[in-house]
Structures are given as structure tokens and as C-alpha cells.
Amino acid sequence: ASYDYKDVLEKSLLFYEAQRSGKLPSDQKVTWRKDSALNDKGNDGEDLTGGYYDAGDFVKFGFQMSFAITVIAWGVLDHKEGYQTANALDDALKAIKWGTDYFIKAHTSENEFYAQVASGTVDHNYWGRPEDMTMERPAFKITTSAPGSDLAAETAAALAAASLVFQSVDSSYSTTLLQHAVQLFNFANTYRGKYTDAFADVRCCYNSSGYEDELVWGAAWLYRATNDNSYLQVIEEVYPTIQYYIGFNWDQKAGGADVLLAKLTGDSSYSTKMENYCDNMFNSQQKTPKGLIFISEWGSLSTTTYLLQICLEAAALGINTETYQAAAKTQIDYMLGDGGRSYVVGFGDNYPTHAHHRSSSCPDAPATCDWTQYSTPDSNPHVLTGALVGGPGANDDYEDVRSDYQHNEVGCVYNAAFQGVLATLIELGYSD
């Protein structure tokens, strides 16, 4: 089958609208969502409204949010033509800015950044609309005495990538983004530590395995944005200390850094690593019976899209170009219907109707929404258009039930590389 990637790309950006926290703009297209979490504040009353809810929940996890924004900005920066062809560039810029505006707020002083708003444990005991929340939403920050190099460097990457995106759109905003990026990277590099050691609450949900890969990734983005060789010196120092290499995802940045550095420096050691990694994954990694490259039981589709993104970037550098591009198309087509169903809410045939996602599972107010709604076999009252669900298990097994958060939750991280890959394929002329 052939699929309209342009339509899927536009829909993916609607998903980010559905994840917005704070006061919604007048041009909001996802109108069943309303203003929410308008009292999100820092420990000294700082305004922390805005940003994105992470997944099916209402926590604002800075690490995952900043990674999603870095990846979306990367896609827009290097595959702008794909976004333009899909008539989606304007919405993509708004999606990036919704994140970066929040990061600027959360960066309350040079060496202080709010890492998270709301307690994962408390939040996950609630099922209902974000507009109706009454629980306390504490804020957690990283400081010089409780550092988080992984979080600060990833946010620096997001701001640096976004500064490049906005350079030709809004030069003063671009300058502001870069100033924050430089400060946050200096904070990350000077006060080294893992952000999941800085405060306990995040460990309910996400654990970082280390910060060295984020320092390299962040330095690569700052080098791209500034051409300042001091960032290359950081990379030379830190790169050899990365303990292990598991490609590219919210916790592992080495694969992304390699392809970015191959492009920026022309150093063949980076491109050789990329070629070996992509060849190994495409040829030797486990596949489901219907052909999905299977990397993780949790978020199986998303983990595959991150592989596709970096291998398509390698292909753009002339590394096994046709092979990698064809493989990427095959994998995306599996997700859109070739696997027997669509895994994108609101697109194609037999798409998910019971995504593990609170706000779309709730009927319009004033109807009650609580754990009874969670348990109902009925479809979600609102279509969470564009959301890529977690995906199938190793045997293409998937059941569209709300309670299966491992396979049927959604998330800001899940859609980020997915839409970047779509933009690349559109640019290459693959869309229906």
C-alpha cells in the first residue's frame, strides 16, 4: 500500500497540540482541550506554566520534553522541504516554540533549571481531565549542589537546535534561545552529575543511565549553532568516557551525536560507526514476523523510528543511501498499515481507539471522568489525532485496550523522530 505521509505529518503535529499544558492559544486546533495547570509554579513562585504533558499523564518531565523538542527541531532544520511540502512548517514552528518558551521560563538563573513539574507518583493515581486537576503539583530543580548534566545538556541541545530553526524566522528569539543554550551547557559541563540523582521523584518513571552522551550531544549542537571550537574540545574529552552505545533514544544520544558530528566535522570515524551500527540493526536485529525491526517491548514503534532517523541522516551523507531509505520506508509503512493495522490514532484503517491517554479518554465536561472511565470498554470520546501508540510486541501482538500502557500509551517522545522520518521521506518524494 502507499500512504499519504503528508497527512500523517500534519496529524502528528495535532498530537502535540493535545499535549499542551497551560493557557492555550487562540489558534488552538484541538478544541476539546482547554486551559489547564495554570498555577504551575517554582519553589519561589516562578511561573512554570506551559510546556507539554509527557504521555497519557500530566507530569511535565523536562528531560523527555527537551529531547522531543531537539529531535523535532532537527527534523525541521534538515528536512524543512518535507514540512513545507506537507504544509506543516508553521505548525512545526509552533510546536517547537511551545517547548522552548517553557524551557526559558524553567531556566530561572544561570545554574538553575526546573527539571519537572508534578509528582509522578501522585499524578499517576489520578484519572481525569487536566483541566480538573486539584492535586499539588510540586516543582523539582537542578542546581550547582544537585546537578543534572544530562538534563541541562539535552535542554541546551533543544535550545541550540531551535535557535538555528528560528534564525531566519525571528532573529531576536533565535538569539535568546542561543544565550540560554550556552548558559545551560556551561552549567551541564561545569557541575557534572546525573539528574536522577538530584531528586527522587523522577525515579518513579524515568532513570537516566548517565550524562556523558548528553554532554557530547549537547556540545555537538552548540558547535553547530556557534562554530566555537571549544565545544569540539569538550567532545574530545568526554566522548571516550561514554560507557556503552545503544543507538539513539531519550536516554542514549551517542548515535545521534555520531551522525551529527560526521556531518559537521567530516571525520570518517563517526561515519564508520554509523554505517556499522545501521548495517547491524537493519540486517541482524530481531524482526517481528511481519517485518518490524524490534528493539524494545516498551514503545516498540518509537524505538524503531529513532533508528530510522539517524540512519536516514547517515544516508543523506552518502552512506548506503538507497538501502537505508528503502528500509525506512518499509518500517514506516508497517506502522501505517502494512502490519495489518494503523498504529497512528485517526489515520488509516483500524487505528487505535483506546489509547492510554487521560484527556482523550474523558467525555466533555461536565460529565464525570475518573477510574470508571478508565475501565470502560468504550472507545475514547475524543480522537487523539496523530498519536503514535507504543506498538506491538515481538510477535506483532497488540490489543487496543486502555489498560495496556506498555503497548497503547502515547508520548511526546514517541512522535518526535516519527515525524522527522516522515518529513525526510516526503522530501525524498516517497509520499502518496
Side-chain angles (χ1 to χ4, degrees):
S2 60
Y3 301 97
D4 186 349
Y5 299 156
K6 298 188 289 290
D7 183 39
V8 186
L9 178 55
E10 285 185 278
K11 285 177 161 62
S12 180
L13 287 158
L14 287 177
F15 166 67
Y16 285 99
E17 287 203 10
Q19 294 300 98
R20 284 171 170 170
S21 180
K23 183 160 184 59
L24 301 182
S26 58
D27 62 358
Q28 172 87 4
K29 295 175 185 173
V30 180
T31 53
W32 50 265
R33 279 295 328 284
K34 310 297 178 191
D35 298 347
S36 63
L38 296 178
N39 293 314
D40 282 357
K41 289 184 172 67
N43 301 340
D44 297 311
E46 304 98 333
D47 174 16
L48 296 179
T49 57
Y52 289 104
Y53 297 127
D54 181 57
D57 58 359
F58 305 132
V59 187
K60 297 193 296 203
F61 288 110
F63 193 43
Q64 285 65 34
M65 197 193 306
S66 57
F67 178 59
I69 296 299
T70 308
V71 170
I72 294 169
W74 190 12
V76 171
L77 190 61
D78 286 348
H79 303 287
K80 186 176 176 181
E81 186 189 325
Y83 276 92
Q84 287 173 321
T85 302
N87 200 26
L89 183 59
D90 191 44
D91 284 346
L93 295 176
K94 289 174 183 174
I96 294 166
K97 191 171 186 292
W98 194 263
T100 53
D101 283 352
Y102 172 75
F103 302 147
I104 290 169
K105 287 182 178 181
H107 187 209
T108 44
S109 67
E110 199 161 333
N111 297 322
E112 185 177 279
F113 183 78
Y114 276 95
Q116 181 180 323
V117 178
S119 162
T121 313
V122 174
D123 178 88
H124 290 177
N125 287 324
Y126 170 75
W127 195 273
R129 302 178 195 86
E131 295 83 1
D132 298 340
M133 289 187 293
T134 57
M135 79 282 278
E136 291 291 313
R137 288 174 61 80
F140 306 91
K141 64 184 174 182
I142 53 171
T143 63
T144 55
S145 57
S149 301
D150 35 13
L151 169 65
E154 182 58 70
T155 311
L159 293 164
S163 78
L164 291 165
V165 168
F166 281 99
Q167 220 163 37
S168 59
V169 181
D170 182 342
S171 60
S172 68
Y173 187 62
S174 171
T175 300
T176 300
L177 292 172
L178 189 57
Q179 287 168 344
H180 283 275
V182 168
Q183 285 188 2
L184 275 164
F185 187 80
N186 289 343
F187 175 30
N189 192 34
T190 307
Y191 299 93
R192 293 190 183 181
K194 200 165 66 164
Y195 94 106
T196 47
D197 293 337
F199 61 98
D201 194 279
V202 71
R203 291 173 224 147
C204 71
C205 312
Y206 292 111
N207 278 296
S208 170
S209 58
Y211 60 77
E212 294 82 3
D213 52 335
E214 277 82 21
L215 282 177
V216 169
W217 169 242
W221 275 108
L222 265 299
Y223 176 66
R224 182 168 180 178
T226 64
N227 289 317
D228 181 339
N229 285 328
S230 68
Y231 294 110
L232 292 180
Q233 291 166 4
V234 175
I235 291 164
E236 285 167 18
E237 178 224 326
V238 178
Y239 195 104
T241 69
I242 296 175
Q243 293 298 311
Y244 40 79
Y245 185 98
I246 315 179
F248 192 49
N249 56 50
W250 66 262
D251 186 40
Q252 307 293 337
K253 311 297 161 58
D258 279 344
V259 74
L260 197 56
L261 290 166
K263 179 174 183 167
L264 294 173
T265 68
D267 184 334
S268 62
S269 67
Y270 295 116
S271 46
T272 300
K273 276 191 78 172
M274 285 312 305
E275 183 169 15
N276 292 339
Y277 177 70
C278 292
D279 281 354
N280 180 58
M281 294 301 288
F282 285 140
N283 298 322
S284 305
Q285 180 65 24
Q286 177 185 358
K287 290 189 175 71
T288 68
K290 293 180 180 176
L292 175 70
I293 297 171
F294 191 81
I295 302 168
S296 167
E297 187 75 33
W298 198 289
S300 59
L301 299 178
S302 166
T303 48
T304 303
T305 64
Y306 283 95
L307 166 69
L308 302 181
Q309 185 176 36
I310 58 172
C311 296
L312 281 173
E313 292 304 315
L317 299 176
I319 302 170
N320 299 329
T321 303
E322 290 180 11
T323 304
Y324 293 174
Q325 289 172 352
K329 184 183 190 309
T330 299
Q331 294 298 305
I332 290 294
D333 288 351
Y334 172 100
M335 300 175 197
L336 298 182
D338 281 10
R341 64 169 307 130
S342 166
Y343 288 100
V344 179
V345 178
F347 177 82
D349 296 328
N350 193 23
Y351 59 75
T353 56
H354 295 71
H356 181 93
H357 182 263
R358 288 181 216 158
S359 56
S360 63
S361 81
C362 291
D364 285 332
T368 302
C369 188
D370 54 22
W371 287 102
T372 306
Q373 183 68 18
Y374 167 81
S375 305
T376 177
D378 298 342
S379 297
N380 290 350
H382 295 290
V383 179
L384 187 63
T385 304
L388 179 73
V389 297
N395 294 307
D396 303 296
D397 46 299
Y398 169 83
E399 199 178 348
D400 182 16
V401 292
R402 203 173 289 114
S403 57
D404 187 359
Y405 47 82
Q406 189 170 26
H407 299 103
N408 220 24
E409 194 164 11
V410 299
C412 288
V413 165
Y414 285 7
N415 270 65
F418 174 65
Q419 69 179 46
V421 172
L422 288 166
T424 308
L425 294 175
I426 293 164
E427 195 172 77
L428 293 168
Y430 281 133
S431 187
D432 182 18

